[in-house]
Amino acid sequence: MLHNLPFDIRRLHQAYASGVEPTQVIAEVYRRIDEVDDPGIFLHLLERETVLKRAKKLSSFDLAGSPLWGVPFAIKDNIDVNGLATTAACPEFSYIANEDAFVVELLLRAGAILIGKTNLDQFATGLVGTRTPFPAPKNALDPDIIPGGSSSGSAIAVSLGLVSFSLGTDTAGSGRVPAALNGIVGFKPTLGTLSNAGVVPACRTLDTVSIFSQLVDDAAVVLNVVAKFDAADSYARQFEKSPISLPPPHLIVGVPNNETIKFFGDNHQRESFEMTINELGTLGAEIVEIDFTPFYEVADLLYGGPWVAERYSVLEDFETNHPGSLHPVTRQVINAAEGISAVDTFRGFYQLQDLKRNVAPIIDEVDLICVPTIPSFCTVADSEADPVGANSQLGTYTNFVNLMDFCGIAVPVSNRKDGRPGNVTLLGKAGHDGLVIAVARELQYKCRGGLGACSWQLPDKQKLLPSPANHEIALTVVGAHMSGLPLNHELTQLGARFLYASKTAPKYRLYSLAEAHPIRPCLVRDESGSSIAIEVWAMPSKRFGEFIKGIPQPLGIGTLDLENNEQVKGFICESCATKNAEDVTNHGGWRNYLHSISTLTGSIDGGRICQHNL
């Protein structure tokens, strides 16, 4: 009956609403696990009867109080569950946890049902997924291809449809590389968004729990549950939670330029990436090419700099007391730290800071960066022949991300021409998780790639109802603060997010204040006026005062009437400013007016000087 039921959260909840019982879903989970018959996926699979008992104990179906009600999930076996062993894929390291990891506790409270703990590259050190003393899991799509790591089992369990979502961890790409290799979504939040309490560290300063799912929507739902500040985690950071929203209609997206992009001879991967960039363009993105050399230099620091010593600090005592217990490649990687001095460590810190300062102007010029999640595919044979080299190649576009304090999401796109899954990663500045999720959601539906190893189709795209959260104020912008224009960063730097594009009621006139730099509009109420194109953004209330402090005369904030009969706070202008200003109402909006200027001068595009290479 449930053999073909997709396990994405929305369709699973629809099944529950129609009368399906959680025990039936759990029975189907174990049927699928038996059918797959891969002993390398789970290191600890909970007893079927134990999970069925937990399913029976769920309260009545209530998504308001339990947004993950009846949703099966798995976690990587470096994350604690009360009463279960945590091995980090090292039997000698194993211990019985006496409490749930912070994120696991939140998931269980939300009604999710834990199925088991999954395999990984030992101590989360690797991107290949085969550095484990246990049987290595098989790639869900092609057993000749490596499964990807270090969160191998978690990604495969989702790709095969055994669970709705899973948790991994991500320090160097462990939450993104296996997503790409198994055709699913891999979301790496901003560092500190999710608590690491109850997680075996790899590099404490760079670690984060990550989320695997088949749909971007599901990653967003899970994030909303687990993104809670944990004062017990010294590296936790507080970010306001907001519902998933639409992406801005105009974005500046940076991509590696032709001179520095790397595919290691994989032309199918190159073609797939180029096609995806074209699709981003159809979604309103302006593509800007970036010299990626400094990003590669940052990436080299992760294993060629002092952060290897941070990994060593976790395992030094254990290795001393348990010689020979580490996987040979894990030991080779970590023991390289023995030659790193305190002086080397500080030199590494300084080098990273210099590189971050050098690329800051590039990052400030774009809203997002888009890269291939992996530069090429790697076979099991390739990895066995050169385990370190293969791993390094897989980390080309992932190793720098946490060092740069980016958030990122690996999203499935159209399959490559050879049938392998396409996948790109969208990277955003710290705290811009909502933006990368919003764009990834649109891209997944635009490209309509596969859902892992399952034959299911994407569900109908759920219509979003954009509105400000309780901690936000809706703000209407009419000119240079609109998406893709020169002052939009004044919104995004304060945590504002796009809600929707609309028009004013037909009673406003729009003027150009030519003396302003950049040139700015002046919106004045006039009953003989017209409807003017606007954008509505949600601004965190606590940052609103900071924003309006910088608004110069003759501009101000008032209440605007929109064509949908809503009244929203937004930019207005003193009528005296129109005396020497140009009336541009007939253009219907600021962006159209700027386009008319660019047609005449060829030098301005949307208020931004054309710049296609940074």
Side-chain angles (χ1 to χ4, degrees):
M1 174 184 173
L2 303 181
H3 287 15
N4 295 317
L5 174 65
F7 272 2
D8 61 84
I9 295 172
R10 178 153 54 102
R11 285 187 282 195
L12 188 58
H13 281 159
Q14 288 171 348
Y16 285 141
S18 69
V20 171
E21 294 293 333
T23 52
Q24 293 175 281
V25 169
I26 297 306
E28 174 61 14
V29 168
Y30 281 85
R31 187 200 67 79
R32 294 180 186 184
I33 292 172
D34 290 341
E35 183 177 70
V36 168
D37 192 25
D38 182 351
I41 298 175
F42 288 95
L43 295 186
H44 187 107
L45 183 64
L46 293 176
E47 292 291 336
R48 187 182 318 227
E49 291 305 315
T50 299
V51 180
L52 286 171
K53 288 179 181 178
R54 292 180 180 177
K56 290 177 182 178
K57 291 181 179 179
L58 285 174
S59 58
S60 58
F61 187 48
D62 173 24
L63 297 185
S66 302
L68 295 176
W69 194 91
V71 176
F73 75 104
I75 64 171
K76 188 175 181 178
D77 192 25
N78 59 348
I79 303 174
D80 286 347
V81 175
N82 186 24
L84 298 185
T86 297
T87 71
C90 181
E92 293 84 355
F93 179 79
S94 179
Y95 63 89
I96 303 299
N98 56 18
E99 61 181 350
D100 293 327
F102 188 83
V103 289
V104 172
E105 181 181 357
L106 292 174
L107 292 171
L108 296 176
R109 285 182 184 176
I113 301 175
L114 180 65
I115 302 301
K117 304 184 73 178
T118 58
N119 208 343
L120 65 151
D121 281 318
Q122 191 178 74
F123 291 109
T125 301
L127 296 174
V128 292
T130 56
R131 296 176 184 173
T132 172
F134 303 100
K138 298 175 183 177
N139 183 292
L141 297 166
D142 183 349
D144 290 334
I145 298 296
I146 57 169
S150 61
S151 310
S152 51
S154 288
I156 292 167
V158 169
S159 181
L160 291 169
L162 308 182
V163 292
S164 299
F165 71 91
S166 64
L167 298 185
T169 58
D170 192 313
T171 305
S174 296
R176 291 160 281 153
V177 168
L181 289 166
N182 291 279
I184 59 171
V185 172
F187 175 59
K188 187 212 77 68
T190 297
L191 295 178
T193 302
L194 306 190
S195 171
N196 284 325
V199 180
V200 178
C203 294
R204 282 191 68 197
T205 60
L206 300 177
D207 292 340
T208 181
V209 173
S210 65
I211 301 167
F212 294 105
S213 60
Q214 290 190 352
L215 299 179
V216 174
D217 281 348
D218 286 357
V221 171
V222 175
L223 175 67
N224 195 52
V225 170
V226 294
K228 183 177 181 181
F229 179 71
D230 177 15
D233 178 1
S234 301
Y235 286 93
R237 298 153 79 181
Q238 284 187 299
F239 295 99
E240 295 282 4
K241 290 194 293 187
S242 299
I244 187 170
S245 57
L246 296 169
H250 299 272
L251 286 168
I252 313 297
V253 178
V255 300
N257 63 20
N258 286 331
E259 291 74 27
T260 57
I261 198 166
K262 297 180 180 181
F263 293 103
F264 300 96
D266 190 337
N267 290 327
H268 287 300
Q269 193 75 340
R270 177 185 292 274
E271 184 178 5
S272 172
F273 183 68
E274 290 173 350
M275 290 177 61
T276 303
I277 294 305
N278 289 336
E279 295 289 10
L280 276 173
T282 67
L283 293 174
E286 176 189 342
I287 306 303
V288 176
E289 292 190 350
I290 295 172
D291 178 356
F292 235 63
T293 302
F295 294 92
Y296 298 142
E297 291 174 352
V298 172
D300 290 342
L301 290 175
L302 190 63
Y303 287 104
W307 286 271
V308 174
E310 187 174 13
R311 289 181 184 267
Y312 185 71
S313 72
V314 176
L315 296 174
E316 181 182 16
D317 291 343
F318 173 75
E319 188 179 11
T320 299
N321 296 326
H322 300 83
S325 60
L326 294 184
H327 187 281
V329 181
T330 307
R331 183 170 60 251
Q332 176 186 346
V333 171
I334 292 176
N335 285 356
E338 292 178 340
I340 297 175
S341 69
V343 173
D344 294 329
T345 298
F346 280 100
R347 285 173 177 161
F349 292 163
Y350 301 153
Q351 185 179 358
L352 174 61
Q353 196 62 30
D354 288 342
L355 287 167
K356 290 170 74 172
R357 179 59 57 87
N358 289 341
V359 301
I362 298 174
I363 296 169
D364 288 342
E365 281 291 324
V366 300
D367 297 300
L368 296 173
I369 294 174
C370 181
V371 295
T373 304
I374 54 174
S376 64
F377 281 73
C378 175
T379 66
V380 174
D382 292 335
S383 178
E384 290 174 348
D386 182 9
V388 174
N391 194 91
S392 178
Q393 182 172 304
L394 287 168
T396 299
Y397 298 109
T398 61
N399 284 352
F400 63 85
V401 173
N402 283 1
L403 286 167
M404 294 295 298
D405 199 16
F406 290 158
C407 58
I409 185 166
V411 56
V413 294
S414 305
N415 283 351
R416 305 182 346 161
K417 285 190 174 179
D418 62 356
R420 287 180 177 169
N423 197 289
V424 300
T425 291
L426 300 172
L427 301 171
K429 305 176 186 77
H432 289 209
D433 304 58
L435 177 61
V436 298
I437 287 174
V439 178
R441 180 179 189 265
E442 295 300 313
L443 192 60
Q444 183 173 30
Y445 274 96
K446 178 71 174 176
C447 296
R448 305 194 73 82
L451 297 178
C454 300
S455 59
W456 307 323
Q457 299 298 309
L458 279 167
D460 292 339
K461 190 177 181 182
Q462 194 168 23
K463 185 176 181 180
L464 300 178
L465 301 174
S467 62
N470 291 335
H471 67 278
E472 296 172 324
I473 294 175
L475 176 67
T476 300
V477 296
V478 69
H481 286 92
M482 296 172 79
S483 59
L485 298 187
L487 299 183
N488 182 248
H489 66 92
E490 293 184 0
L491 296 177
T492 58
Q493 286 177 352
L494 296 177
R497 62 187 179 92
F498 176 78
L499 291 180
Y500 58 90
S502 185
K503 292 183 178 181
T504 66
K507 47 188 175 184
Y508 291 91
R509 302 200 74 82
L510 186 67
Y511 297 86
S512 173
L513 301 176
E515 295 181 0
H517 181 75
I519 56 174
R520 298 190 187 189
C522 170
L523 186 69
V524 177
R525 188 181 180 98
D526 186 328
E527 296 299 326
S528 66
S530 301
S531 293
I532 303 298
I534 53 92
E535 290 179 0
V536 179
W537 289 67
M539 169 76 71
S541 302
K542 65 182 181 182
R543 310 299 296 273
F544 191 66
E546 184 178 350
F547 175 71
I548 63 175
K549 183 179 179 181
I551 297 175
Q553 193 180 35
L555 303 178
I557 298 294
T559 301
L560 301 181
D561 293 329
L562 304 189
E563 66 174 358
N564 59 5
N565 295 321
E566 287 189 23
Q567 290 188 325
V568 182
K569 301 299 179 186
F571 276 92
I572 57 174
C573 186
E574 297 177 30
S575 58
C576 62
T578 65
K579 184 176 180 181
N580 297 315
E582 178 186 2
D583 188 334
V584 297
T585 305
N586 63 305
H587 292 283
W590 189 245
R591 207 181 296 275
N592 287 344
Y593 168 63
L594 292 175
H595 181 70
S596 72
I597 294 177
S598 68
T599 301
L600 292 173
T601 67
S603 62
I604 298 178
D605 180 12
R608 179 187 295 271
I609 301 299
C610 289
Q611 188 171 17
H612 297 287
N613 291 278
L614 294 174

